[in-house]
């Protein structure tokens, strides 16, 4: 944002007629995985919430053969979506009627993308009139410990986004596994994402790259290099649904290193931070799995990575398969996002999880 420029209108504040909703202001307050009527109602009733994230899947097959995508997060117990009392059409209706929250739509299945984007396209003038920004999110490339075929490939997701919602923001990530032989993103992961952006001529000013905080911390210069390869883009470091919280010291350490790399203002954090002794102990236990992961890789792959927690991995091809996998466990404490330090003229979201 240039000095002296007017800030983007808040959701619900009418601005000049345009199909392009300006990038939202910093320090959004989010509610995550808003996948039920009760949670959506609570979010819309909370005046502190400025943005809503929700996951989208197709419901389990039915005898009718026709189904509207639903708001649901994948379960490790089944490949089918869990039961949900909130379908996508109702979700959009209520959010547009409210008109005060930005929306991030996290697609979990390829079959859900086109019907949702078709409906969004029909309602775009209403979203634009409310100044509600839309992020379209998908893990479009394989990543650490999840080197198999992705559910939503870029050659499916990006053409559909461009066709139906060309003015939406894009949030692109790598699919990852919780435990396995890889401890960090590799240079080939970053190069593959930059290539996707180049192949589709994506504007960096509309892009956010989403990466796991724990898998980024050990190769931070590598992960941050995507911001150089795709000028104008931003990076969001996250902890996942059901993932144990991280210590505040980890967040501070990563923030400091990003500032040293001169990309701090372009990086946001969407993380769950330990708020108790129990939470800190859980975080320590999870982080210890990276130690055992090194030994697993040594035994099965003959490639032991030694050194401090700040060291980069030795050259990884990024082609090894996950050796271990564990189901997610519910977080023991509410998830809170630490605000991202911002400077005048920057536009990175600081997020608080409710």
């Amino acid at each position: 944002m240039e000095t002296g420029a007017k800030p983007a209108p808040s959701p619900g504040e009418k601005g000049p007629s345009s199909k392009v909703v300006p990038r939202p202001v910093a320090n959004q307050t989010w509610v995550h995985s808003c996948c039920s009527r009760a949670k959506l109602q609570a979010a819309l009733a909370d005046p502190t919430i400025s943005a809503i994230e929700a996951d989208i899947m197709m419901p389990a097959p039915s005898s009718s053969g026709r189904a509207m995508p639903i708001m649901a997060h994948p379960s490790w117990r089944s490949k089918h979506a869990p039961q949900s009392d909130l379908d996508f059409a109702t979700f959009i209706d209520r959010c547009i009627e409210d008109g005060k929250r930005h929306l991030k739509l996290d697609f979990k299945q390829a079959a859900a993308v086109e019907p949702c984007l078709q409906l969004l396209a029909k309602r775009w003038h209403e979203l634009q009139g409310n100044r509600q920004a839309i992020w379209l999110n998908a893990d479009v490339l394989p990543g650490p410990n999840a080197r198999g075929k992705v559910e939503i490939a870029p050659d499916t997701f990006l053409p559909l986004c461009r066709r139906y919602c060309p003015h939406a923001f894009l949030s692109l990530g790598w699919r990852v596994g919780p435990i396995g032989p890889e401890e960090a993103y590799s240079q080939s992961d970053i190069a593959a994402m930059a290539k996707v952006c180049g192949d589709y001529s994506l504007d960096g000013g509309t892009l956010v790259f989403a990466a796991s905080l724990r898998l980024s911390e050990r190769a931070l210069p590598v992960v941050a290099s995507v911001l150089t390869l795709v000028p104008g883009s931003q990076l969001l470091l996250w902890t996942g649904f059901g993932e144990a919280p991280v210590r505040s010291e980890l967040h501070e350490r990563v923030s400091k290193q990003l500032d040293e790399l001169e990309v701090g203002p372009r990086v946001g954090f969407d993380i769950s931070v330990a708020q108790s002794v129990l939470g800190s102990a859980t975080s320590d236990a999870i982080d210890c799995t990276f130690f055992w992961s090194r030994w697993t890789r040594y035994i099965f792959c003959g490639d032991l990575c030694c050194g401090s927690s700040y060291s980069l991995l030795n050259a990884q091809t990024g082609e090894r398969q996950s050796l271990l996998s564990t189901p997610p466990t519910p977080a023991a404490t509410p998830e809170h996002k630490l605000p991202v330090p911002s400077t005048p003229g920057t536009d990175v979201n600081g997020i608080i999880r409710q």
Side-chain angles (χ1 to χ4, degrees), residues 99-116:
K100 299 177 182 178
R101 333 286 164 153
H102 302 302
L103 306 176
K104 181 177 180 180
L105 307 177
D106 190 352
F107 293 96
K108 299 300 185 182
Q109 293 177 326
V113 176
E114 187 165 17
C116 290

Side-chain angles (χ1 to χ4, degrees), residues 312-334:
L312 300 183
L313 292 179
N314 293 329
Q316 289 193 34
T317 63
E319 297 301 325
R320 288 187 289 271
Q321 297 293 323
S322 175
L323 297 176
L324 300 172
S325 180
T326 57
T329 55
T333 58

Side-chain angles (χ1 to χ4, degrees), residues 1 23 26 135 190 194 197 202-211 220 223-237 254-255 257-270 337 340-351:
M1 182 183 296
R23 180 179 291 176
W135 287 270
I190 305 306
C197 296
L202 300 180
D203 179 5
T206 67
L207 289 173
V208 176
F209 300 112
L220 207 53
V223 175
S225 68
V226 73
L227 300 176
T228 301
L229 295 173
V230 186
S233 61
Q234 295 178 352
L235 175 66
L236 181 70
L237 299 177
V254 170
S255 295
Q257 191 173 358
L258 289 168
D259 287 338
E260 292 171 352
L261 293 170
E262 300 182 348
V263 295
R266 295 170 62 189
V267 182
F269 291 82
D270 179 6
K337 165 68 179 65
V340 179
S342 60
T343 57
T346 63
D347 191 24
V348 178
N349 288 340
I351 301 169

Side-chain angles (χ1 to χ4, degrees), residues 149-196:
K149 183 179 179 181
V150 294
E151 172 65 28
I152 305 177
D155 58 2
T156 296
F157 186 65
L158 296 175
L160 289 174
C161 292
R162 177 172 287 173
R163 176 182 177 185
Y164 292 109
C165 300
H167 302 296
F169 297 105
L170 295 177
S171 174
L172 306 179
W174 299 261
R175 189 181 64 172
V176 300
I179 299 177
E182 296 175 281
E183 295 177 291
Y185 295 93
S186 68
Q187 189 64 61
S188 61
D189 291 327
I190 305 306
M193 185 64 79
K195 183 178 185 302
V196 166

